[in-house]
């Protein structure tokens, strides 16, 4: 960063529960750069929506696996902007602030 006159404010990088980008996330945080998740739902990959841990947490919190994934990322201070053209999915994706994952459940993911 010392070589740049303008420091970025946001960095959009591929991030989902399978690609958590932990080291890069810490680097961004250390430099006060917002981490924005590109493809926070793993490009809609069915394996994520059917992952046993995510399905278990979705049932526990009475939310969808997508909501659990989005909540997980937001609790880690990662900005999420999930892409959808389905109005039902759009509304559901916004409904992630009425629950919080416990520290133990965050660690499970």
């Amino acid at each position: 960063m010392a070589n740049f006159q303008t420091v970025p404010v946001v960095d959009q990088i591929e991030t989902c529960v399978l690609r958590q980008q932990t080291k890069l996330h810490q680097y961004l945080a250390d430099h006060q750069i917002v981490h924005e998740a590109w493809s926070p739902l793993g490009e809609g990959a069915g394996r994520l929506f059917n992952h046993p841990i995510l399905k278990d947490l979705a049932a526990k919190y009475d939310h969808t696996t997508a909501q659990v994934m989005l909540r997980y990322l937001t609790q880690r201070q990662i900005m999420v902007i999930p892409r959808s053209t389905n109005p039902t999915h759009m509304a559901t994706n916004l409904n992630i602030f009425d629950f919080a994952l416990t520290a133990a459940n965050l660690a499970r993911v």
Side-chain angles (χ1 to χ4, degrees):
M1 289 296 162
N3 296 328
F4 296 100
Q5 291 181 346
T6 304
V7 177
V9 177
V10 177
D11 192 0
Q12 184 185 62
I13 52 177
E14 185 175 10
T15 308
C16 66
V17 296
L18 293 180
R19 289 183 182 91
Q20 296 186 18
Q21 306 286 7
T22 306
K23 288 182 184 178
L24 185 51
H25 177 74
Q26 188 58 55
Y27 177 86
L28 295 173
D30 290 345
H31 291 87
Q32 299 177 336
I33 301 169
V34 174
H35 178 172
E36 180 185 343
W38 176 81
S39 190
L41 299 176
E43 298 184 72
R47 64 182 179 178
L48 281 179
F49 291 97
N50 293 309
H51 192 284
I53 291 173
L54 297 174
K55 285 177 73 171
D56 179 56
L57 291 174
K60 176 181 177 137
Y61 290 100
D62 193 29
H63 282 72
T64 67
T65 53
Q67 288 172 312
V68 168
M69 289 186 272
L70 295 173
R71 184 62 188 171
Y72 171 81
L73 294 171
T74 58
Q75 279 188 234
R76 289 191 54 228
Q77 304 301 309
I78 298 171
M79 181 184 0
V80 296
I81 304 175
R83 180 189 162 277
S84 179
T85 57
N86 180 313
T88 302
H89 290 166
M90 289 180 207
T92 302
N93 289 343
L94 289 172
N95 188 23
I96 63 169
F97 299 104
D98 61 344
F99 75 106
L101 300 170
T102 65
N105 287 327
L106 285 169
R108 286 181 67 196
V109 177

